[in-house]
Amino acid sequence: MLSALSSGQDALRGIFVPSSVWKGSIVLSLISIPVQLFAAARSERTYLHQIHRDCNSRVKQPLFCPTCNRFVDRTEIIKGFEFDEGQYVLMDDKEIKKLAAASSHSLEILAFSKLSEIDPIFFDSSYFCVPDDAGKKAYQLLVKALEDTRTVGIGKLMMHRRDYTVFLRSYQHGLLLHTMYFSNEIRQLPQFGVVETVNLKPEEVKLTEQLVKTMSHPFKPKEYHNEFQDKLRKLLEDKKQGKSVEIGEEPHRAAIIDMKTALERSLAASSSGSRDKKGSKGKATKTRQSVRKAS
């Protein structure tokens, strides 16, 4: 009761209070660790709604039954699987709940694998896995074991009436859970990965490797952001304030040149950019030193 009141007060003060998406226990052999899952990453988008041009009203999408020729209420809706055109196997909501009930509160770890053995294509959504008070010691033991062995726990989980295989790995001294794409969900493209007989010249390979080396630096996530969404938000803000808005023209494509020349120019541009960055850092350091001496 107290936690509910405190959450409500936080919400009134404008403090973001994340809500858990799943509560249950990690089951590792005979060990049970009570935990909660919280969404760790979600896409941020500025969404544009459908507006009626004549009156500037938002268009709604009602549920309409073409057979009964009328709009229907959500309470009249059930689920069905279409096995043939216009033919459905109907599922009652109670039947679906019974299917999910058996394993909905347990995350059973089935095996452990090296993180390096798992291709990133299998990673789907990410969740912070947080222990309840009763499970903190067992939780920390599991985190430490995963850190020391550099392994990932692979388990099964039922969440929101859907069956998941999940990865459980250490992250910043806690547990991070990733839902996994099943192997049958990974698409197959016949023309993908087909190695064609292309004449790769040694100097072109060397230049490409040099370009990769010149552009290599530690991964810093904050350096990357959604430029389209930034521009869209600025455009909407300017229009909201009645400012005149001009959108730049689409950049023209560079002229097609031979591969070796393109690589050499790219390498030169990359090297120049790296020197400019180092130079600006050096100037900034000298300026700070001068300020300190002056003061």
Side-chain angles (χ1 to χ4, degrees):
M1 179 70 178
L2 185 60
S3 62
L5 285 171
S6 131
S7 297
Q9 289 168 355
D10 286 341
L12 287 172
R13 289 197 297 267
I15 300 173
F16 172 67
V17 182
S19 56
S20 63
V21 297
W22 182 85
K23 293 182 180 181
S25 296
I26 298 172
V27 179
L28 175 58
S29 187
L30 300 178
I31 301 170
S32 181
I33 310 171
V35 296
Q36 297 182 52
L37 296 185
F38 297 84
R42 285 291 182 269
S43 297
E44 288 191 6
R45 297 286 186 272
T46 299
Y47 294 99
L48 303 176
H49 300 293
Q50 293 180 315
I51 306 296
H52 187 198
R53 187 187 297 274
D54 292 348
C55 62
N56 291 344
S57 297
R58 183 176 170 183
V59 177
K60 296 182 180 179
Q61 186 176 355
L63 297 170
F64 182 79
C65 176
T67 303
C68 299
N69 195 30
R70 67 177 179 86
F71 295 111
V72 297
D73 189 78
R74 289 193 178 276
T75 57
E76 301 177 69
I77 302 298
I78 59 173
K79 292 181 171 62
F81 170 74
E82 188 174 24
F83 63 91
D84 201 355
E85 189 174 351
Q87 300 295 311
Y88 299 90
V89 176
L90 302 179
M91 290 290 292
D92 185 84
D93 198 49
K94 291 179 181 178
E95 293 176 307
I96 300 173
K97 283 183 178 178
K98 284 182 181 179
L99 283 176
S103 57
S104 60
H105 297 292
S106 294
L107 193 177
E108 183 180 1
I109 296 179
L110 307 174
F112 294 92
S113 295
K114 294 290 184 182
L115 180 59
S116 58
E117 296 173 352
I118 303 170
D119 194 286
I121 195 172
F122 288 99
F123 283 75
D124 185 14
S125 299
S126 303
Y127 297 89
F128 292 123
C129 187
V130 179
D132 290 345
D133 289 339
K136 284 185 175 179
K137 183 174 182 178
Y139 177 93
Q140 289 300 331
L141 283 170
L142 181 55
V143 172
K144 187 71 167 63
L146 293 177
E147 286 177 341
D148 292 348
T149 59
R150 296 183 180 180
T151 55
V152 174
I154 301 174
K156 294 193 74 66
L157 167 69
M158 179 71 73
M159 181 168 60
H160 303 152
R161 300 186 190 178
R162 183 180 168 187
D163 191 24
Y164 293 94
T165 295
V166 299
F167 301 118
L168 203 61
R169 70 181 181 92
S170 60
Y171 175 76
Q172 295 182 356
H173 307 302
L175 291 179
L176 194 63
L177 180 144
H178 304 277
T179 53
M180 185 190 96
Y181 284 117
F182 292 108
S183 57
N184 64 299
E185 294 175 321
I186 305 299
R187 299 289 181 259
Q188 300 296 320
L189 194 64
Q191 64 269 37
F192 177 77
V194 176
V195 180
E196 298 179 0
T197 53
V198 179
N199 182 23
L200 299 178
K201 298 177 182 178
E203 61 267 28
E204 292 175 344
V205 173
K206 186 177 180 180
L207 283 168
T208 305
E209 290 174 353
Q210 286 177 347
L211 179 60
V212 170
K213 186 176 180 181
T214 304
M215 296 179 65
S216 296
H217 60 85
F219 175 60
K220 298 177 182 178
K222 290 185 179 180
E223 290 183 358
Y224 306 94
H225 53 95
N226 192 325
E227 293 183 8
F228 173 78
Q229 287 293 316
D230 291 345
K231 291 175 182 176
L232 178 59
R233 281 191 283 267
K234 186 179 185 310
L235 175 63
L236 291 171
E237 187 60 32
D238 288 346
K239 288 173 76 73
K240 182 181 174 182
Q241 295 178 9
K243 296 179 181 178
S244 59
V245 178
E246 290 185 10
I247 301 175
E249 294 182 2
E250 186 179 349
H252 298 289
R253 287 196 174 198
I256 298 174
I257 51 180
D258 68 274
M259 182 61 72
K260 185 171 180 295
T261 306
L263 286 167
E264 287 173 342
R265 290 184 184 179
S266 298
L267 187 58
S270 177
S271 300
S272 175
S274 299
R275 284 196 298 270
D276 290 343
K277 283 183 180 179
K278 288 178 181 177
S280 61
K281 285 181 181 177
K283 288 177 183 177
T285 305
K286 288 179 181 178
T287 303
R288 284 194 294 269
Q289 289 173 347
S290 300
V291 170
R292 281 197 291 270
K293 287 179 181 177
S295 57

